[in-house]
Amino acid sequence: MSVPIQDSKEFKEVVNKQEAEKLVVADFYANWCNPCKKCLPIFEEIAKEHEQSLFLKVDVDKNEEVSDEHEVIALPTIVFIKQNKEIDRLIGCDEKILRDKVKKNEN
């Protein structure tokens, strides 16, 4: 299950308190974005399958500061973070690529 993020402070707190090797997968989306809506069930399904990682939902309209910090310029953008650093990203929501990136980056 994914965790919705309310603001920049919460995002930083959640990411910073993760164990060093834990993968954080942040989905930057907007409610008005049709591709984002199509991605939601895929993202949630993968989150349930990978409970060892933390999946976050970041609404760009409510979290502009976080979106800017991660240079989100297209939606959806999925950012992979480990040890508080971006290690990978996916623009769009291709299910196979998303699954492959989660698996690769968990290890």
Side-chain angles (χ1 to χ4, degrees), residues 39-67:
C39 185
L40 179 61
I42 296 166
F43 190 80
E44 291 296 335
E45 180 181 321
I46 295 171
K48 287 177 186 171
E49 294 169 0
H50 294 268
E51 293 180 356
Q52 66 273 29
S53 294
L54 176 63
F55 287 75
L56 305 177
K57 297 287 293 173
V58 184
D59 184 337
V60 298
D61 292 326
K62 294 179 181 174
N63 295 286
E64 289 182 34
E65 185 178 334
V66 177
S67 302

Side-chain angles (χ1 to χ4, degrees), residues 3-106:
V3 177
I5 296 297
Q6 301 305 316
D7 56 36
S8 175
K9 180 181 176 192
E10 181 184 21
F11 183 87
K12 289 174 185 171
E13 286 174 358
V14 169
V15 170
N16 287 337
K17 79 176 184 184
Q18 298 311 309
E19 298 169 18
E21 295 304 312
K22 188 167 191 169
L23 177 66
V24 176
V25 184
D27 177 16
F28 289 85
Y29 74 99
N31 289 323
W32 48 263
C33 168
N34 284 330
C36 299
K37 291 176 186 176
K38 291 178 182 176
C39 185
L40 179 61
I42 296 166
F43 190 80
E44 291 296 335
E45 180 181 321
I46 295 171
K48 287 177 186 171
E49 294 169 0
H50 294 268
E51 293 180 356
Q52 66 273 29
S53 294
L54 176 63
F55 287 75
L56 305 177
K57 297 287 293 173
V58 184
D59 184 337
V60 298
D61 292 326
K62 294 179 181 174
N63 295 286
E64 289 182 34
E65 185 178 334
V66 177
S67 302
D68 290 345
E69 287 173 7
H70 288 277
E71 300 177 356
V72 174
I73 58 171
L75 297 175
T77 293
I78 301 170
V79 176
F80 300 83
I81 302 165
K82 233 182 204 178
Q83 297 178 335
N84 206 18
K85 293 183 181 148
E86 181 176 333
I87 57 169
D88 206 348
R89 83 170 35 210
L90 171 63
I91 297 174
C93 191
D94 181 290
E95 183 175 357
K96 181 182 181 333
I97 295 172
L98 178 56
R99 287 182 180 281
D100 289 348
K101 285 183 176 280
V102 169
K103 186 175 179 179
K104 176 187 95 172
N105 289 305
E106 277 181 335

